[in-house]
Amino acid sequence: MAAIARFGSRIVPELQQIVNECRATGQLVQGPHIELFEAAFARLLGSGHVRTCSTEYGRMALYFILRAFEFPAGSEIIVPALTFWVVPEIVRVAGLVPVFADVDPATFTLSPEAMAAAITPRTVAVLPTHLYGLACDMDPILDLARLHSLKVIEDCAHSLGATWKGRMAGTLGDASFFSFQAFKPLNTYGGGLAWLRDADIARRVGAFADAEAWPEERRVESILSSGKWQHTFIRPKVFTFSLFPIWYAASFVDGKPEERLWESVRRLDPLPAHYRGRYSNVQAAIGLAGLARLPEFIERTRRHARILDDLLGGVDGVTIPRNPSDRTHVYYQYCAYVPDSKALVRRCIRRGVDVAPMHVDVCPRMPLFDSKGPGTPGADTAATAVQVPVYESLTDAEIERVGRLVRDQVGRVARTQGAVPSGARG
């Protein structure tokens, strides 16, 4: 059977037509779709002001937001200990100090108790990350922010379409940012967007975005081409003969070949040249088509998650992702605790399913940050979970195959090694 990759790209059927039309009209770079996309995104969120930012990275939206608030240099921003390393590094590039707070290992999101303990007189904002597609428990976070006059900047890179008590993630605080890279909930082959509650802050973010140069047409063409090949390589029938053999071989030596595909961990000041550039018209046109299909994408992914829940929910030693009744989980990733996660990953890869260890970072443990704060047992536990393929482009039959394989191999691991669960139940 064809091998199944851990990630999938959301591709609209009319993609090639959109690209061809933009080429034919000379509107790959500049054109009317940017404003149309921003208006459609604002309607989806239902409030505030939005602005597209960057040709390639949503992290630039965070950078512009931090600069627009004009926080005093050296002010502290509370960041979850479990997040992508770029987020606290962008905080530092903006002249601010990231202070790490632990997460709840049952939800993988910021612990309000840890946030409260991290607040000092120098704290000006908190950056809750709606990780893996589940919104944070925002009531206590917002209460603490109001009590201490902190700004709330939501990281929504994983969570477009997620809700908390009927409200859209990304509209709960003072600002938020979204990412549109290839594997994100909305794929425009790169770029990002900032949401702002306050019109004056939105104007400042817009000024920063407008100050960026338009990308050259060849750069936009390169982004589209890279996205096309990326999507092709991870389709099951192609993945089986492209990247999977490398993954398979690496499983015998505990190798991590995927790390060669990741951005190298390093200081980002000054910002690398490829971070710069305005969001292009063709990306916005693709985004408009993706927004129209977003409910369909989310429902398919949530249905896949329910299939996995049914197959794994009663398995001894497995803790499936929490799905609180007051939130809509959009499952950017399906993250479960299992007995002996390293052994399970190896076993699943060797049987054609790319179950993977978590790919975000426990940032206080990284030499880049040299954190001397309190321990982060929640993040340390969360990092032992595994990622099970759940994305919408798989068929229901493929998802059932994934769930049955994981269920079978969990049992085999437990019988052969007497393993115990590696994570927290909740």
Side-chain angles (χ1 to χ4, degrees), residues 105-125:
T107 63
F108 305 101
T109 58
L110 180 65
S111 161
E113 294 78 16
M115 172 187 163
I119 295 172
T120 75
R122 295 182 297 279
T123 308
V124 294

Side-chain angles (χ1 to χ4, degrees), residues 210-223:
D210 287 344
E212 297 289 303
W214 288 104
E216 294 184 359
E217 188 170 299
R218 64 183 178 182
R219 181 182 178 190
V220 175
E221 290 279 16
S222 176
I223 290 170

Side-chain angles (χ1 to χ4, degrees), residues 37 58 94 111 115 125 140 143 146 181 185 191 200 223 226 236 249 258 264 285 309 352 368 371 373 384 407 422:
F37 175 63
S111 161
M115 172 187 163
D143 288 345
R146 282 189 289 266
Q181 288 175 283
D200 288 336
I223 290 170
S226 296
E258 66 272 16
S264 59
D309 285 350
L368 180 66
S371 175
T384 67
R407 182 181 64 188
S422 59

Side-chain angles (χ1 to χ4, degrees), residues 109-192:
T109 58
L110 180 65
S111 161
E113 294 78 16
M115 172 187 163
I119 295 172
T120 75
R122 295 182 297 279
T123 308
V124 294
V126 60
L127 213 164
T129 301
H130 304 307
L131 203 65
Y132 308 144
L134 178 68
C136 300
D137 183 10
M138 291 300 293
D139 271 334
I141 292 172
L142 294 171
D143 288 345
L144 281 166
R146 282 189 289 266
L147 180 64
H148 295 277
S149 300
L150 309 180
K151 299 297 182 183
V152 177
I153 303 169
E154 300 169 71
D155 179 350
C156 298
H158 293 181
S159 60
L160 177 61
T163 67
W164 173 82
K165 294 188 175 179
R167 298 169 61 190
M168 294 290 289
T171 65
L172 307 170
D174 300 284
S176 62
F177 61 100
F178 297 81
S179 175
F180 305 138
Q181 288 175 283
F183 300 137
K184 293 300 194 295
L186 183 67
N187 168 25
T188 70
Y189 299 111

Side-chain angles (χ1 to χ4, degrees), residues 128-372:
T129 301
H130 304 307
L131 203 65
Y132 308 144
L134 178 68
C136 300
D137 183 10
M138 291 300 293
D139 271 334
I141 292 172
L142 294 171
D143 288 345
L144 281 166
R146 282 189 289 266
L147 180 64
H148 295 277
S149 300
L150 309 180
K151 299 297 182 183
V152 177
I153 303 169
E154 300 169 71
D155 179 350
C156 298
H158 293 181
S159 60
L160 177 61
T163 67
W164 173 82
K165 294 188 175 179
R167 298 169 61 190
M168 294 290 289
T171 65
L172 307 170
D174 300 284
S176 62
F177 61 100
F178 297 81
S179 175
F180 305 138
Q181 288 175 283
F183 300 137
K184 293 300 194 295
L186 183 67
N187 168 25
T188 70
Y189 299 111
L193 179 142
W195 175 91
L196 299 311
R197 184 175 299 281
D198 181 85
D200 288 336
I201 300 297
R203 279 192 286 273
R204 291 179 204 163
V205 168
F208 291 131
D210 287 344
E212 297 289 303
W214 288 104
E216 294 184 359
E217 188 170 299
R218 64 183 178 182
R219 181 182 178 190
V220 175
E221 290 279 16
S222 176
I223 290 170
L224 295 173
S225 177
S226 296
K228 177 182 177 180
W229 283 112
Q230 195 173 47
H231 169 64
T232 300
F233 280 138
I234 60 175
R235 293 171 59 190
K237 290 183 179 179
V238 180
F239 179 68
T240 305
F241 302 102
S242 59
L243 297 176
F244 176 70
I246 302 172
W247 266 237
Y248 180 85
S251 74
F252 290 92
V253 294
D254 289 329
K256 296 182 178 180
E258 66 272 16
E259 290 184 355
R260 295 181 178 272
L261 305 176
W262 300 343
E263 183 175 5
S264 59
V265 178
R266 69 207 187 282
R267 297 189 74 96
L268 296 177
D269 193 5
L271 286 169
H274 68 281
Y275 278 35
R276 316 308 298 238
R278 294 177 67 165
Y279 192 68
S280 71
N281 184 68
V282 69
Q283 290 173 293
I286 295 168
L288 276 166
L291 285 179
R293 293 182 179 271
L294 185 65
E296 170 192 338
F297 289 154
I298 290 174
E299 178 48 38
R300 283 183 55 81
T301 305
R302 283 172 54 81
R303 185 171 77 241
H304 289 169
R306 291 193 293 270
I307 293 171
L308 292 175
D309 285 350
D310 290 342
L311 289 167
L312 301 176
V315 177
D316 188 36
V318 174
T319 304
I320 61 176
R322 285 194 62 187
N323 186 13
S325 60
D326 61 350
R327 297 170 233 183
T328 300
H329 200 323
V330 295
Y331 296 98
Y332 172 68
Q333 294 178 0
Y334 186 98
C335 301
Y337 290 109
V338 297
D340 197 340
S341 58
K342 290 184 179 180
L344 181 77
V345 166
R346 288 194 298 268
R347 285 173 166 269
C348 289
I349 288 175
R350 292 172 192 175
R351 289 159 179 83
V353 174
D354 185 18
V355 171
M358 304 317 305
H359 77 289
V360 293
D361 306 296
V362 181
C363 293
R365 299 276 180 264
M366 303 179 77
L368 180 66
F369 299 108
D370 191 26
S371 175
K372 296 180 174 62

